[in-house]
Each structure stands twice: as C-alpha cells, then as structure tokens.
Amino acid sequence: MKKLIIVFIGIILMFIVSCSKEIENEEQIIKFQKYMGNEDNYEEFKEINNNERVKQVKDIVDNIDWEDAKVSMVRPPDYRFGFQYKNSKFEAKAALYELWVSPKKDKVELVIDAESKYVQLDKKKSAVLYELITEEKLSDLK
C-alpha cells in the first residue's frame, strides 16, 4: 500500500512539473499602449511578438528591485504594457506596467499599480527598455 501511494505521488509530481515547464516555455507577446494626451485616452501603440525582444523586456522587469510603494504621479503614464501568452489556452494574472519618461528624458519610472510597486531605472536600463519598446533612443527625445 505504501509503494502504491509513493508511485501515485510520483506520477502527480511529474504531471505538475511537465505542465509548469509547458507554461514556462510558452511564447508570450507584449502589448503596448501610448498616452494620447487627454484624460485616460490610450491608443494601441505596438505589439512585440519577437521572442528575443519579449525575453529581454521580461528579464528587465523580472530582475528589478521593486519598491513597495503606492505612488501618485502628476501626470498619466506615457506608456502602459502587459505580457500575454500567444496560446490562449494559458491564462495568467497579467500585471499592467505603467511607464513614465522622466522630465530630463534620461530615465524611466515603472509602476505596477495593482501590486503597489514602483521603481526608477538607472540611465542604462532605462535606455535599453525604452528602445526595446519604442525602437527609438531615449537620448533622442526632446
């Protein structure tokens, strides 16, 4: 009886591991919206479905030392974005990232409002993230 329980637990664990690997390896896209200048008016800006670019953006946001903070910005975010699975059979809690370009146009700030998370990226990470999103250089902003 003990051996049967051990075998049963082993089969369940193998199933869980294989399902989690399938989800982990599932391709994602990023959908971006750009602020259009009035109220809460955002327009679809871009969709990134290139796996390498999606991975780069995901690596940046996953490896940030987020601060636990509820922030109130003086203006709406310049961009909003979220990750989605290409295969609709996978559902995940989608975090909505809000991005502001700093007044000096040398850094970006990110907020995950629903999780009360905030960060201001350094100049290097800001430039990389902004270019991945917009395909323009942050240093070219006026």
Side-chain angles (χ1 to χ4, degrees), residues 67-126:
E67 295 176 33
D68 290 327
K70 188 74 173 165
V71 295
S72 178
M73 306 300 247
V74 295
R75 61 185 169 84
D78 299 304
Y79 299 93
R80 300 188 304 197
F81 65 96
F83 296 87
Q84 296 179 355
Y85 287 106
K86 285 183 181 179
N87 185 338
S88 62
K89 78 176 182 178
F90 293 111
E91 297 214 13
K93 178 183 159 198
L96 178 64
Y97 297 88
E98 298 174 316
L99 182 146
W100 285 262
V101 176
S102 69
K104 291 184 179 180
K105 304 201 181 345
D106 61 344
K107 295 180 182 176
V108 300
E109 297 172 273
L110 292 170
V111 169
I112 306 173
D113 196 40
E115 298 177 21
S116 298
K117 301 286 187 183
Y118 168 83
V119 70
Q120 182 180 62
L121 298 179
D122 62 36
K123 289 180 181 181
K124 183 180 177 185
K125 281 184 183 172
S126 293

